[in-house]
């Protein structure tokens, strides 16, 4: 509890402090409209305060607190004078003197003694440059020349003197502070180096004329956008932009981020564990592949048959043949992914399967639920898994997949997982005598009924009904055959249950893990599709029905094209979500049993083995994976802006 | 879409068993829908039932047998302190992470969304697109540098003089809740700015113009007009972000890591799942405790949640 109070106090303090800073900054810039001098005083105070805080924090000056206070006062006073005095020569003098004073203060207080590092190693602190007159003159001249060029390039805008002084000062700063050795100078050298820098910057400020009220307003306006943006930009920069750049940098370094190792980390990624194609040929004998080919042939035959019947061409892509061929392609890709093994392959398999099925299922549910009774109840039940954490969902499904091995005392294993209970029960049914024939009789009735309906639907011209019941007939027919031939988790020889190890048996355990994510993401797809379908103009659908289109035709030719952009959004969103799948794999298998994916591999390399180089390379692999999506999103945004 | 029943067919009017069967088949889509609904709810329902059954019942029979004895022991054990429980502490930790990680990004993102929508400055469009494009960047890309930042600060070595300047001090944030909020805040901002901007930019322009003529500055406009008018979208984002941070596993696991007393529920439960054999009967109750709050929020405020998701994706 104590911890919680601490946290609460921390939160309140942090929010109050950031709120105060934000409101303060806003109030500060409000001053630009009414009292300019107060504004310049505040800006001057900040100009004195910020650099000296930085110096003090890095131990570059002695008596940090006092010096910072003095610097703030000098800055505030200079700012106040610059906000009130009007004659240009006096302004120049004020600015120069103020800057000079700050510079001299910095130089005078510069730390010249030995400092001590955190480990207790004494070092000289770099606040006193060893000045080299020729270098100073040279760089100042270079600065002046660059300033002149810059002024011409900018179209001779503003005061040339101001530009020259600013650039000359930059040249001086370079020669005084960045080039020389910063530890071997004296206090006087430090005062010269800092004093001239301050003088130049102060003079630049003093050369600005006192702005009129309109200019004052503009200054306030422009800086206001920054006050509103800076907090967000700081966070985004610190948590997304800079870390991404650093991750790319680390991916070329060794495990502790030290030595540069070139592409070694990426080369290490390229092995049998990430992409393994050795078993490629066994794809052609796998069941999924054979089924895919069968369905493909069926689809082609249907297309040819349609063409024959309508007597046009040799092949017509009817709804049924399209559906069959889409299913076939899905099966063939599935067969490919299940025979090629490895982390990257798994990740692609996840992306393919979950995106396709969740999108299709979401669309199907959205269509089925549309205008159904209790539509909202049905939709919220399908949507509910979105509220559950991936960890919670994984645990829910681990219970569903649970398998218990049989013992002599409990031959069926006493299955407590729903799927294995069904599977073992099915096996017992298939190996029973009377029950089996009762089940077969029920199935036979269903098959006959379906056959009747298919025929009737065909005659009535309702092809959807005919095809639907025909497919169902095929399924039940197959099921009858399977029940006769023996199916399910029961071994009649030993009299023991043979439950399926859903989580352990490679490669299809990957699919059972994917089911968890499909379970979660279908609701997401459904909600978006449901809204999109409701947004399809009613007149369009009316018109198509008046023209005599069937439900199926209306769906494929009116609804689907109208929601095509939404399908694009759902697919890209899902790809990003699935690509970085982590929690489910981590909780269910931790990448064992051939279920490793990139995100989990990255986590293990980086945070259990502390190999930051390899971990970063894996993170970069994920990053590269989302780049196409990033590009698509930008394109979409640009179109949105253009509209 | 219209349902099949809207269009009469020849068969529909026919009497007898065939016609009746045909009508039954037409209602199949509705049946399929409800079968799907049941399939979707069954796993969660099973977990819920099991969480009230004792250890032995859970081990020997499936939840569908509804065999007792019914008990609250699992909940008691998992919530109490100790090696088998401690979920109450983890629940407090989850709140200590999720609440600030919801409030802070809302404030920051609303400022930025207002600036992008209503303050004119050069490069506004590009900065906005660039910001929102970061939405797709996976968290993994930032994890290693961020952990280094929290556990060691940020230092820049100036080449040549080999002097290291500290940009961000080592505050020892790794293992603390602060590290998790800061990370969540940064990661949430692109989406939050996108979502809130979509809404704020649609507010009527004349309201702002008349306010400006009356002498209100941006801050006053923001405080008195934009914030009150944007409550719906802020609520939508708040619910979305709360559920997201409450359910987060990856960032908490990485940033808090070994500091057991600060771990949120997701991490605690996932580590319990690692000991699946011994404490399996507690896991049902644990998972359900962790789900109770999001489910309550979800069912109570579903409309806002859906609105957030829709505004975030369809408008894109």
């Amino acid at each position: 509890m104590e911890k919680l109070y601490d946290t609460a106090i921390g939160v309140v303090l942090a929010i109050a402090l950031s709120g105060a800073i934000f409101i303060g900054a806003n109030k500060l810039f409000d001053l630009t409209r009414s009292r300019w001098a107060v504004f310049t005083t505040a800006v001057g105070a900040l100009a004195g305060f910020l650099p000296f805080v930085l110096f003090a924090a890095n131990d570059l000056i002695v008596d940090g607190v006092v010096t910072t206070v003095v610097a703030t006062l000098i800055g505030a006073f200079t700012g106040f004078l610059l906000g009130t005095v009007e004659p240009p020569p006096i302004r120049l003098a004020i600015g120069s003197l103020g800057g000079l004073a700050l510079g001299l203060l910095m130089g005078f207080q510069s730390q010249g003694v030995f400092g001590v590092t955190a480990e207790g190693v004494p070092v000289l602190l770099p606040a006193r440059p060893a000045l080299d007159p020729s270098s100073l003159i040279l760089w100042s001249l270079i600065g002046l020349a660059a300033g002149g060029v810059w002024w011409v390039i900018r179209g001779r805008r503003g005061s040339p003197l101001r530009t020259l002084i600013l650039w000359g000062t930059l040249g001086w700063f370079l020669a005084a502070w960045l080039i020389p050795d910063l530890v071997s100078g004296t206090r006087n050298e430090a005062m010269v180096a800092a004093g001239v820098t301050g003088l130049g910057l102060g003079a630049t400020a003093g050369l600005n004329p006192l702005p009129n009220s309109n200019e004052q307003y503009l200054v306030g306006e422009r800086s206001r956008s920054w006050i509103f943006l800076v907090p967000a930009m700081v966070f985004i920069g610190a948590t997304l932009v800079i870390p991404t750049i650093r991750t790319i940098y680390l991916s070329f370094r060794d495990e502790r981020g030290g030595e540069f190792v070139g592409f070694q980390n990426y080369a290490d990624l390229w092995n049998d564990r990430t992409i393994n194609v050795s078993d490629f040929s066994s794809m052609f004998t796998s069941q999924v592949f054979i089924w895919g080919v069968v369905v493909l042939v069926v689809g082609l035959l249907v297309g040819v048959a349609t063409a024959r019947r309508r007597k046009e061409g040799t092949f017509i892509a009817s709804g049924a043949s399209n559906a069959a061929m889409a299913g076939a392609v899905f099966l063939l890709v599935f067969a490919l992914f299940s025979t090629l093994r490895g982390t990257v392959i798994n990740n692609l398999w996840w992306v393919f399967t979950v995106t396709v099925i969740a999108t299709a299922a979401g669309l199907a549910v959205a269509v089925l639920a549309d205008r159904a009774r209790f539509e909202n109840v049905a939709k919220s039940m399908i949507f509910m898994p979105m509220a559950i954490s991936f960890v919670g969902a994984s645990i829910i499904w681990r219970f569903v997949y649970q398998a218990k091995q049989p013992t002599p005392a409990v031959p069926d294993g006493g299955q407590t997982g729903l799927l294995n209970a069904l599977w073992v029960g099915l096996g017992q049914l298939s190996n029973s005598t009377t029950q089996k024939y009762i089940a077969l009789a029920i199935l036979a009735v269903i098959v006959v009924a379906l056959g009747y309906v298919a025929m009737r639907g065909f005659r009535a011209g309702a092809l959807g009904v005919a095809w639907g019941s025909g497919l169902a007939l095929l399924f039940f027919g197959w099921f009858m055959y399977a029940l006769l031939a023996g199916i399910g988790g029961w071994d009649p020889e030993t009299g023991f249950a043979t439950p399926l190890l859903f989580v352990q048996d490679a490669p299809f355990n990957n699919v059972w893990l994917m089911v968890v994510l499909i379970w979660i993401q279908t609701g997401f797809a459904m909600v978006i599709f449901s809204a999109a379908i409701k947004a399809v103009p009613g007149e369009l659908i009316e018109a198509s029905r008046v023209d005599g289109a069937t439900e199926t035709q209306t769906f494929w030719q009116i609804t689907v094209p109208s929601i095509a952009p939404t399908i694009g959004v759902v697919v890209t969103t899902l790809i990003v979500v699935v690509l970085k799948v982590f929690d489910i794999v981590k909780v269910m298998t931790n990448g064992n049993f051939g279920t490793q994916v990139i995100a989990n591999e990255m986590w293990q390399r980086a945070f259990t083995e502390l190999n930051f180089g390899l971990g970063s390379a894996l993170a970069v692999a994920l990053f590269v994976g989302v780049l196409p999506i990033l590009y698509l999103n930008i394109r979409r945004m640009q179109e949105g802006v253009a509209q | 879409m219209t349902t099949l029943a809207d269009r009469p067919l020849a068969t529909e009017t026919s009497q007898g068993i065939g016609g009746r069967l045909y009508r039954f088949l037409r209602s199949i889509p509705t049946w399929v829908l409800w079968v799907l609904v049941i399939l979707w709810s069954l796993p969660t329902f099973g977990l819920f039932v099991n969480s009230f059954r004792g250890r032995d019942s859970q081990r020997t029979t499936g939840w569908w047998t509804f065999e007792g004895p019914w008990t609250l022991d699992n909940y008691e054990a998992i919530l109490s302190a100790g090696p088998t429980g401690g979920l109450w502490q983890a629940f407090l930790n989850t709140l200590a992470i999720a609440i600030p990680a919801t409030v802070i990004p809302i404030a920051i993102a609303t400022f930025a969304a207002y600036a992008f929508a209503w303050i004119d400055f050069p490069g506004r469009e590009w900065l906005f697109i660039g910001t929102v494009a970061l939405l797709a960047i996976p968290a993994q890309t930032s994890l290693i540098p961020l952990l280094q930042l929290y556990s060691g600060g940020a230092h820049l070595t100036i080449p040549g003089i080999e002097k290291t300047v500290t940009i961000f001090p080592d505050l020892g944030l790794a293992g603390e809740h602060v590290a998790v909020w800061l990370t969540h805040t940064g990661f949430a901002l692109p989406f939050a700015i996108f979502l809130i901007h979509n809404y704020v930019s649609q507010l009527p322009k004349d309201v702002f113009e008349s306010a400006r003529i009356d002498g209100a500055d941006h801050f006053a406009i923001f405080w008195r007009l934009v914030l009150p008018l944007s409550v719906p979208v802020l609520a939508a984002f708040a619910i979305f972000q709360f559920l997201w941070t409450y359910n987060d596993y990856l960032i908490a696991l990485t940033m808090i890591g070994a500091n057991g007393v600060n771990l949120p529920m997701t991490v605690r439960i996932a580590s319990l799942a690692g000991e699946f054999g011994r404490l399996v009967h507690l896991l049902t109750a644990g998972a359900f405790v962790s789900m109770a709050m999001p489910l309550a929020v979800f069912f109570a405020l579903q409309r806002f949640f859906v609105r957030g998701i829709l505004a975030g994706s369809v408008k894109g």
Side-chain angles (χ1 to χ4, degrees):
Chain A
M1 286 310 281
E2 211 174 299
K3 188 89 204 163
L4 203 68
Y5 290 131
D6 286 355
T7 312
I9 291 168
V11 174
V12 171
L13 273 183
I15 291 175
L17 191 69
S18 0
I21 292 175
F22 182 76
I23 294 173
N26 265 292
K27 290 290 163 204
L28 176 65
F29 282 87
D30 281 349
L31 297 174
T32 52
R33 290 174 133 190
S34 48
R35 274 160 293 180
W36 181 251
V38 183
F39 170 69
T40 53
T41 308
V43 173
L46 277 182
F49 176 75
L50 287 180
F52 276 80
V53 158
L54 209 68
F55 299 148
N58 276 295
D59 276 343
L60 298 184
I61 51 175
V62 291
D63 300 333
V65 177
V66 179
T67 313
T68 308
V69 171
V70 173
T72 311
L73 290 176
I74 295 175
F77 187 59
T78 313
F80 171 71
L81 290 177
L82 282 179
T84 43
V85 177
E86 208 167 339
I90 304 181
R91 290 178 62 80
L92 177 60
I94 294 168
S96 312
L97 282 177
L100 179 65
L102 284 175
L104 290 180
L105 179 68
M106 195 267 152
F108 188 76
Q109 294 290 81
S110 62
Q111 188 92 266
V113 293
F114 283 99
V116 177
T117 65
E119 289 84 30
V121 182
V123 283
L124 270 172
L125 287 160
R128 291 185 172 176
L131 296 183
D132 170 10
S134 55
S135 156
L136 283 172
I137 293 168
L138 176 70
W139 281 103
S140 301
L141 287 176
I142 291 176
L144 286 173
V149 173
W150 174 247
W151 185 70
V152 172
I153 291 175
R154 288 285 305 268
R156 297 162 198 262
R157 268 196 292 147
S159 143
L161 187 61
R162 193 168 161 264
T163 316
L164 285 178
I165 292 181
L166 183 63
W167 283 81
T169 311
L170 285 180
W172 172 276
F173 180 73
L174 191 70
W177 290 100
L178 296 185
I179 295 175
D181 175 12
L182 285 188
V183 286
S184 54
T186 63
R187 172 182 276 177
N188 287 344
E189 280 175 310
M191 284 172 73
V192 171
V196 175
T197 311
L199 178 73
L201 293 177
T204 317
L207 276 171
N208 283 324
L210 191 63
N212 62 30
S213 62
N214 194 34
E215 287 161 346
Q216 292 175 4
Y217 172 76
L218 276 180
V219 169
E221 195 70 353
R222 210 162 301 148
S223 29
R224 191 62 58 108
S225 65
W226 284 106
I227 297 185
F228 277 89
L229 280 178
V230 158
M233 292 303 133
V234 165
F235 265 101
I236 290 176
T239 58
L240 287 168
V241 179
I242 298 171
T244 301
I245 296 168
R246 184 165 166 81
T247 299
I248 296 172
Y249 164 86
L250 285 176
S251 72
F252 293 105
R253 303 264 147 178
D254 67 13
E255 37 195 85
R256 304 302 304 160
E259 292 290 306
F260 177 78
V261 294
F263 283 90
Q264 188 55 45
N265 289 318
Y266 292 95
D268 287 348
L269 288 185
W270 198 262
N271 58 30
D272 266 7
R273 283 188 25 237
T274 50
I275 297 180
N276 183 351
V277 296
S278 60
D279 219 12
F280 181 71
S281 55
S282 72
M283 176 179 98
F284 301 105
T285 53
S286 74
Q287 268 196 16
V288 183
F289 183 81
I290 293 167
W291 275 107
V293 172
V294 168
V295 177
L296 186 67
V297 170
V298 168
L300 287 172
L301 285 179
V302 169
V304 171
T306 317
R308 279 268 177 86
R309 215 180 53 212
R310 296 196 200 156
K311 299 206 169 58
E312 17 179 315
T314 49
F315 179 83
I316 289 180
S318 68
S321 70
N322 274 342
M325 285 191 295
V329 169
F330 183 83
L331 286 176
L332 293 179
V333 175
F334 214 72
L336 180 71
F337 280 129
S338 63
T339 37
L340 306 184
R341 305 282 56 244
T343 311
V344 173
I345 303 287
N346 273 344
N347 233 82
L348 294 174
W349 196 9
W350 271 86
V351 170
F352 174 77
T353 313
V354 176
T355 308
V356 169
I357 296 187
T359 308
L363 186 56
V365 175
V367 171
L368 287 177
D370 199 51
R371 296 201 196 166
R373 248 189 297 173
F374 303 113
E375 174 183 349
N376 285 331
V377 179
K379 286 203 300 197
S380 31
M381 293 317 286
I382 303 269
F383 194 40
M384 180 201 67
M386 278 289 282
I388 297 174
S389 64
F390 285 3
V391 172
S394 308
I395 286 168
I396 289 176
W397 282 90
R398 261 176 82 156
F399 281 105
V400 174
Y401 293 150
Q402 214 169 21
K404 290 192 134 189
Q405 292 307 327
T407 55
V410 193
D412 67 354
Q415 300 302 327
T416 55
L418 186 58
L419 284 180
N420 264 318
L422 289 174
W423 181 247
V424 171
L426 191 64
Q428 284 169 319
L429 181 69
S430 174
N431 289 297
S432 63
T433 47
T434 34
Q435 288 115 320
K436 179 164 143 186
Y437 290 105
I438 295 172
L440 282 173
I442 296 172
L443 284 173
V445 170
I446 293 177
V447 166
V448 170
L450 282 169
Y452 174 76
V453 170
M455 205 178 65
R456 222 179 146 107
F458 197 71
R459 280 209 205 125
L463 285 180
V465 174
W467 274 108
S469 40
L471 279 179
L473 187 148
L474 271 183
F475 171 75
F476 282 105
W478 167 81
F479 193 54
M480 281 177 78
Y481 162 77
L483 210 54
L484 267 176
I487 188 179
W490 189 263
D491 187 348
E493 311 272 303
T494 57
F496 278 136
T498 50
L500 293 175
L501 300 174
F502 289 100
V503 179
Q504 286 92 347
D505 274 348
F508 287 99
N509 52 358
N510 282 295
V511 180
W512 297 110
L513 300 195
M514 292 172 206
V515 166
V516 183
L517 195 56
I518 293 171
W519 182 68
I520 296 172
Q521 295 296 341
T522 297
F524 163 77
M526 175 207 69
V527 163
I528 291 175
F529 283 136
S530 194
I533 287 173
K534 291 202 191 303
V536 175
E539 307 95 73
L540 271 182
I541 293 185
E542 279 303 308
S544 102
R545 290 210 296 155
V546 168
D547 288 350
T550 63
E551 284 304 321
T552 330
Q553 284 170 330
T554 310
F555 176 72
W556 285 109
Q557 283 162 27
I558 307 290
T559 312
V560 170
S562 313
I563 63 170
T566 312
I567 297 180
V569 171
V570 170
V571 167
T572 48
T573 313
L574 282 178
I575 289 177
V576 173
V577 170
V578 185
L579 195 67
K580 52 190 184 187
V581 60
F582 169 76
D583 310 25
I584 296 174
V585 174
K586 171 104 180 145
V587 174
M588 301 233 346
T589 62
N590 198 15
N592 294 317
F593 317 116
T595 57
Q596 188 69 296
V597 290
I598 297 177
N600 194 48
E601 174 98 11
M602 180 258 163
W603 206 88
Q604 288 179 342
R605 296 290 153 269
F607 299 115
T608 51
E609 292 175 13
L610 296 175
N611 186 340
F612 288 159
L614 208 52
S616 296
L618 283 155
V620 171
L622 278 182
F623 178 66
V624 171
V626 300
L627 279 183
I629 306 286
L630 208 73
Y631 172 75
L632 281 179
N633 280 348
I634 291 179
R635 283 285 301 278
R636 210 154 42 207
M637 298 271 309
Q638 278 174 312
E639 281 160 21
V641 170
Q643 273 162 15
Chain B
M1 285 301 292
T2 49
T3 52
L4 283 167
D6 289 356
R7 216 162 54 98
L9 273 177
T11 29
E12 192 144 0
T13 51
S14 66
Q15 296 300 311
I17 191 161
R20 235 179 273 157
L21 186 66
Y22 200 84
R23 274 196 294 279
F24 165 72
L25 283 166
R26 298 211 129 182
S27 61
I28 278 188
T30 320
W31 289 105
V32 171
L33 175 68
W34 288 104
V35 168
L36 280 177
V37 167
I38 291 171
L39 277 182
W40 243 251
S41 329
L42 219 50
T44 319
F45 180 70
L47 183 88
F48 183 61
V49 171
N50 251 356
S51 70
F52 293 105
R53 299 168 77 224
R55 180 172 184 271
D56 294 335
S57 324
Q58 279 194 37
R59 291 201 155 198
T60 49
T61 53
W63 59 267
W64 53 88
T65 59
F66 288 100
E67 268 174 35
W70 303 94
T71 168
L72 286 173
D73 289 353
N74 301 332
Y75 286 94
E76 250 167 60
I78 197 90
L79 288 173
S80 64
T84 60
L87 210 61
W88 178 246
Q89 178 60 44
F91 174 69
L92 296 180
N93 288 334
T94 297
L95 288 185
I97 288 169
I99 293 174
T102 306
V103 174
I104 300 174
I106 290 184
I108 295 176
T110 315
F111 298 150
Y114 173 72
F116 279 127
W118 293 104
I119 305 180
D120 213 358
F121 59 91
R124 172 167 81 159
E125 207 167 282
W126 275 108
L127 194 59
F128 179 66
I129 290 179
T131 306
V132 177
L134 297 174
L135 222 153
I137 294 207
Q140 278 83 1
T141 315
S142 298
L143 288 182
I144 297 174
L146 278 181
L147 188 63
Q148 287 180 333
L149 175 71
Y150 297 139
S151 60
H155 312 277
L156 192 68
T157 304
I158 301 168
I161 57 168
E162 295 304 322
K163 159 70 180 171
T164 304
V165 177
T166 299
I167 299 167
F168 187 86
D170 175 9
L171 298 179
L173 293 179
E176 299 296 328
H177 294 149
V178 186
V180 189
W181 327 329
L182 291 178
T183 315
H184 275 309
T185 301
F187 288 174
L189 281 176
F191 177 67
I193 291 174
F194 177 58
L195 189 70
I196 300 171
H197 172 267
N198 273 350
Y199 190 90
V200 170
S201 63
Q202 302 294 320
L203 294 174
K205 197 173 181 178
D206 28 337
V207 176
F208 292 92
E209 275 166 2
S210 52
R212 299 228 64 174
I213 291 167
D214 291 347
D217 56 37
H218 281 297
F219 184 66
I221 292 176
F222 178 80
W223 199 250
R224 304 222 183 91
L225 284 174
V226 174
L227 271 191
L229 286 174
S230 320
V231 166
V233 73
L234 298 186
F237 175 73
I239 290 164
F240 184 89
Q241 176 73 1
F242 180 77
L243 289 182
W244 179 256
T245 49
Y246 187 99
N247 285 337
D248 162 72
Y249 174 63
L250 171 65
I251 293 170
L253 180 69
T254 311
M255 298 304 166
I256 294 186
N259 197 355
V261 289
N262 280 341
L263 286 177
M265 272 194 290
T266 44
V267 182
R268 181 78 191 95
I269 290 172
S271 71
L272 268 183
E275 315 160 36
F276 203 58
R278 197 161 52 83
L279 296 171
V280 64
H281 61 293
L282 298 182
L283 206 50
T284 51
F288 207 78
V289 167
S290 81
M291 282 154 37
M293 179 115 170
L295 285 181
V297 170
F298 171 77
F299 281 116
L301 303 165
Q302 195 180 5
R303 202 178 314 157
F304 290 103
F305 186 50
V306 169
R307 194 184 294 162
I309 288 187
L310 285 180
S313 50
V314 173
K315 276 190 173 175

